[in-house]
Amino acid sequence: MKVEKGIEESSLLYYNRDFYCIQIHDKEVACDGLLFHNVFEIPFVELEEEENLIIKNLFQSIKEELEWKDSSAEEMIRTYVKQIIIRATRKWKKQNLDNDEIKIPSNELDVFRDFSRHLEIHFREKHNVADYADLLHIAPKTLTHKFKSLNLESPNQFIINRILLEAKRLLFYTDKPVKEIAYDLGYEDPAYFNRLFTNKIGSTPTNFKKNYTSGKKYNI
């Protein structure tokens, strides 16, 4: 766990899965699929002055505990992290649900939140809409209709996008060959994965890696 000062009076909070696992603690904070693993948008929460002060104080408390290094500091920091996440989740819901700009109404939120969570966990081995519909205990057509009724991309496209995002990350940050990346992402036929990547990205996986390292930019 560490806190770093960012640009323009911002702070960055780092912690790993062993310190606080979002999936394990989601029943406590209800943030998975909203603040984390949100496949629909990059989460952003705007704080009012009073709330901003509360969050700043929580960050300061974390810094003090890190300096204190007491035997109970780790557990105390976890309680502060939990408060930050809960407050941010509440704020996200207030700012994004049931207003003129929101895509997902509050009464449908659990379906989309669960879809996001399941997709993040299973995208390497589950590639079909039916797989996720089964996990959500609804029919594949029902799931697809829910996305269509809100003018969202199809669930199939969200699945493909998540797979391709991971493929690009592996191409850029590792030295794994394309065939191994295909296997890692659940494709027994590397040629099929190659065609899918090329069709959606406009470049073969090999050329993507070569062009990115040479300075050509893609969206990652």
Side-chain angles (χ1 to χ4, degrees):
M1 159 67 71
K2 65 177 179 177
V3 178
E4 287 189 3
K5 190 171 183 180
I7 302 172
E8 297 181 358
E9 299 184 16
S10 62
S11 296
L12 302 175
L13 180 65
Y14 296 88
Y15 59 88
N16 58 29
R17 182 185 178 93
D18 291 334
F19 180 80
Y20 190 86
C21 178
I22 295 301
Q23 286 85 0
I24 291 175
H25 294 280
D26 189 55
K27 287 184 179 180
E28 302 171 4
V29 294
C31 68
D32 200 9
L34 299 182
L35 297 184
F36 299 87
H37 310 139
N38 187 327
V39 299
F40 304 101
E41 63 179 6
I42 297 175
F44 174 80
V45 178
E46 187 173 355
L47 300 178
E48 297 167 356
E49 186 175 346
E50 182 180 349
E51 192 75 23
N52 185 45
L53 181 60
I54 293 172
I55 297 298
K56 282 186 175 180
N57 287 337
L58 286 169
F59 266 81
Q60 183 58 39
S61 296
I62 290 173
K63 290 177 182 178
E64 291 172 359
E65 288 294 333
L66 288 170
E67 294 172 359
W68 185 250
K69 296 181 180 179
D70 182 79
S71 60
S72 60
E74 184 174 317
E75 191 57 39
M76 184 68 82
I77 292 171
R78 257 191 288 270
T79 66
Y80 293 138
V81 170
K82 191 182 299 185
Q83 287 182 64
I84 292 172
I85 293 173
I86 290 173
R87 286 182 175 279
T89 303
R90 285 176 177 174
K91 206 67 174 176
W92 185 94
K93 289 180 178 179
K94 184 176 180 180
Q95 292 174 358
N96 290 277
L97 297 181
D98 293 333
N99 61 46
D100 293 338
E101 298 180 1
I102 185 59
K103 293 180 177 179
I104 305 173
S106 58
N107 63 327
E108 294 280 15
L109 181 62
D110 285 346
V111 171
F112 293 93
R113 197 170 81 90
D114 289 345
F115 175 82
S116 293
R117 186 170 65 250
H118 287 310
L119 179 57
E120 185 62 27
I121 295 170
H122 299 294
F123 71 87
R124 292 176 183 84
E125 71 271 3
K126 296 185 185 296
H127 298 168
N128 300 314
V129 175
D131 294 327
Y132 294 93
D134 186 53
L135 290 170
L136 295 169
H137 307 292
I138 60 177
K141 286 185 177 179
T142 301
L143 180 59
T144 299
H145 177 73
K146 286 180 180 293
F147 278 67
K148 186 177 181 180
S149 66
L150 295 170
N151 295 317
L152 293 170
E153 289 185 310
S154 69
N156 183 62
Q157 191 58 54
F158 277 105
I159 296 167
I160 291 173
N161 289 346
R162 183 63 186 90
I163 293 168
L164 294 178
L165 178 64
E166 185 68 8
K168 289 189 283 187
R169 189 188 69 80
L170 292 171
L171 286 166
F172 183 67
Y173 291 109
T174 74
D175 293 323
K176 289 184 177 183
V178 174
K179 183 180 292 187
E180 186 177 345
I181 290 174
Y183 292 144
D184 285 349
L185 294 174
Y187 292 95
E188 295 181 3
D189 181 2
Y192 176 83
F193 167 76
N194 206 312
R195 289 194 299 272
L196 174 68
F197 188 98
T198 303
N199 180 52
K200 297 295 183 180
I201 304 302
S203 169
T204 65
T206 301
N207 284 336
F208 172 87
K209 185 177 182 68
K210 186 187 301 182
N211 289 334
Y212 203 101
T213 53
S214 66
K216 184 176 180 180
K217 298 300 180 183
Y218 296 88
N219 292 322
I220 287 189

